[in-house]
Amino acid sequence: MKKLLIFSYLLGAISFSLLAQENTVTNDAELGDRNKYFAACWSMGAVTVSDSRQTLISGDYSLRSNQVTNSSTTATWVKTPWIKMESGRITFKTRLDGTAGGNRSIVLQYIEFDDDNESTGEGDVTKFDVFDFPNPINRQTEVHEVAVAVPEKLVGRTVKIMFSLVGSGGTARIGMDELIIPGSYNADPSDDCFPKDEDDDEDDDEDEKDTDDDDIIDSEDAYPEDPYRAFDNFLPATGYGTLMYEDLWPARGDYDFNDLVVDYRINRVTDADGEVVEIKIELIPRAAGAGFSNGFGIEFSGLSPKK
């Protein structure tokens, strides 16, 4: 008989600082781990979340690039989630680490949604502004406060904002912090971070019904009567994955990996802001052929049972 083991682990509330009350999407790096931003639909290339004093701008963490020595806008970058843009100014703080470099710039672009791109939904990329660090780059550590007006044609549209960090020569890295973009968070973490469906029929009260008042309409809410839960995020997306263990590895002659075979499915339940509030793990043992008395466990690193 199959044994179904269900582990439910309720996580403490995680403040992602993604949505502000005045319709802005922000990133202040204070989560301390870029994977947490990935879970909330931010993306980064050759950029991490770091407490290095060389590029720290405010708080305990800032965004920190690798050495910026490439003029390509796709080498080192930060992308926001999908945002329904509003008028105003995109603002952020930035600095260099003081080491040598030829030129350094931050190119601002917007990415349009392409319904034909079933992988990411990303379409055309258009440059609309650039910030150039003043020369000489060597020994420069001044914090620059940058403000760029939202192009009028973007107001009311759903796009991503892409910050490309470009440069040539030297080894200087770029730090960024306190990114603030006018608009409403419009990504769906439960749907590969694609834009949320927008209901054009504002007069259809049933379609717009939001029973738990969490700003996710019931038709899109997996938990329409629970204000603390909104979306299921399954791994694998469908069916079950399989784990296979060999307790004598790497001993020769015993590579059968049948000491424990278990199917798994993980559900990260997130709230309306994309914050993880609960993890459910389903395990179905398939085989246990070990001669030893072994144990199986799951560890959540960085969490204290006292909290």
Side-chain angles (χ1 to χ4, degrees), residues 152-225:
E152 185 175 348
K153 62 184 177 181
L154 296 186
V155 177
R157 295 176 57 189
T158 295
V159 300
K160 288 183 179 181
I161 300 299
M162 181 176 181
F163 303 84
S164 293
L165 315 183
V166 300
S168 61
T171 59
R173 300 171 185 252
I174 297 176
M176 296 183 69
D177 210 331
E178 299 183 30
L179 282 65
I180 303 176
I181 301 94
S184 301
Y185 182 89
N186 201 32
D188 185 351
S190 70
D191 187 25
D192 293 328
C193 289
F194 272 64
K196 298 176 183 176
D197 293 332
E198 298 180 29
D199 191 344
D200 294 329
D201 185 6
E202 297 181 357
D203 296 327
D204 190 342
D205 293 337
E206 186 61 30
D207 287 348
E208 295 293 335
K209 185 177 181 181
D210 182 12
T211 302
D212 55 15
D213 198 28
D214 63 354
D215 293 329
I216 306 297
I217 60 175
D218 289 357
S219 60
E220 299 178 1
D221 196 334
Y223 304 86
E225 297 182 358

Side-chain angles (χ1 to χ4, degrees), residues 28-78:
D28 61 8
E30 290 306 303
L31 291 180
D33 182 348
R34 73 175 188 168
N35 288 328
K36 295 179 180 178
Y37 288 101
F38 290 167
C41 300
W42 287 79
S43 55
M44 306 175 195
V47 173
T48 190
V49 176
S50 172
D51 59 358
S52 170
R53 306 304 299 181
Q54 292 180 307
T55 47
L56 189 64
I57 296 173
S58 64
D60 294 324
Y61 297 92
S62 294
L63 303 180
R64 174 180 169 86
S65 74
N66 289 358
Q67 295 178 4
V68 180
T69 57
N70 198 318
S71 60
S72 170
T73 57
T74 59
T76 307
W77 46 267
V78 176

